[in-house]
Amino acid sequence: MSVFVVTSASPRSTPLSSSAASDVYKRQVAPAIMLAVAIGAGVGIVNGLIVSVAKVHSFVVTLGMTTILRGFAVALNGGYPIPIDMGSDFINFGNGNVAGLSNTIIICIIAFIVCWFILKKTNVGRNVYAIGGNQEAAKFSGISVVKTSVFAFGICSALTALAAVILASRMFSGFPSAAVGLETQAVTA
């Protein structure tokens, strides 16, 4: 069984997540998607801990984790894509529509609303803004910079994993070299 993972805050990890549930999809789609997103969040939490506790720059950590996970994905299946049956419900996850509106658009709208709510209506969201504005001032005002940073890395990675699952669904396969080069676009954006 292939298990694929995602790293934090960028599309760098897409190759692992894009195939995350390629063997599980034959049985049930929802658990496979949740598995991929949970693994992605877990990798983001690890990245967040390395960045926050070890004080390693986030770009170095995420790029390093991406390289490790991409290598793991290639080693699992020899670099070959894992095909997904065209009749699978998993294909409908990224390619289907509800009332004429693409599932991908619906997922993006839901993710936007959830993220907006977290950032605007919760304490952790306000803490994210505070840390982004001035990390030292946030620390002196009593905000747990480590916990908030780990939370942010975890959420970003979970969303990246979700995007990777959608990509796998749209590509009809889990491909370990999917999204190679997107890390440069993410950094320059």
Side-chain angles (χ1 to χ4, degrees), residues 71-85:
F72 182 65
V74 170
L76 278 176
N77 61 5
Y80 295 105
I82 299 171
I84 299 171
D85 182 28

Side-chain angles (χ1 to χ4, degrees), residues 121-160:
K121 303 292 183 183
T122 67
N123 288 334
V124 72
R126 286 186 280 280
N127 292 349
V128 168
Y129 278 119
I131 290 172
N134 186 337
Q135 188 170 350
E136 287 301 313
K139 182 179 177 182
F140 289 130
S141 68
I143 295 172
S144 174
V145 174
V146 172
K147 287 180 184 177
T148 305
S149 296
V150 169
F151 172 80
F153 271 86
I155 292 293
C156 288
S157 292
L159 291 173
T160 301

Side-chain angles (χ1 to χ4, degrees), residues 47-63:
N47 283 351
L49 287 170
I50 293 170
V51 169
S52 299
V53 176
K55 305 294 185 206
V56 179
H57 195 279
S58 61
F59 178 73
V60 173
V61 173
T62 56
L63 187 60

Side-chain angles (χ1 to χ4, degrees), residues 3-170:
V3 176
F4 290 58
V5 191
V6 182
T7 98
S8 68
S10 76
R12 296 183 197 143
S13 56
T14 304
L16 282 174
S17 290
S18 68
S19 329
S22 57
D23 286 343
V24 180
Y25 82 90
K26 294 174 185 172
R27 294 179 286 263
Q28 294 180 348
V29 174
I33 293 168
M34 290 187 293
L35 173 67
V37 173
I39 291 172
V43 171
I45 289 169
V46 169
N47 283 351
L49 287 170
I50 293 170
V51 169
S52 299
V53 176
K55 305 294 185 206
V56 179
H57 195 279
S58 61
F59 178 73
V60 173
V61 173
T62 56
L63 187 60
M65 186 65 79
T66 298
T67 304
I68 291 167
L69 296 176
R70 186 168 282 142
F72 182 65
V74 170
L76 278 176
N77 61 5
Y80 295 105
I82 299 171
I84 299 171
D85 182 28
M86 296 290 284
S88 168
D89 289 337
F90 182 72
I91 297 298
N92 292 331
F93 180 72
N95 295 301
N97 64 63
V98 175
L101 191 60
S102 170
N103 289 351
T104 305
I105 299 297
I106 294 168
I107 294 166
C108 287
I109 290 169
I110 292 169
F112 175 81
I113 291 168
V114 168
C115 289
W116 174 87
F117 180 82
I118 290 170
L119 288 172
K120 295 292 184 180
K121 303 292 183 183
T122 67
N123 288 334
V124 72
R126 286 186 280 280
N127 292 349
V128 168
Y129 278 119
I131 290 172
N134 186 337
Q135 188 170 350
E136 287 301 313
K139 182 179 177 182
F140 289 130
S141 68
I143 295 172
S144 174
V145 174
V146 172
K147 287 180 184 177
T148 305
S149 296
V150 169
F151 172 80
F153 271 86
I155 292 293
C156 288
S157 292
L159 291 173
T160 301
L162 181 61
V165 169
I166 293 170
L167 177 64
S169 174
R170 295 182 65 81

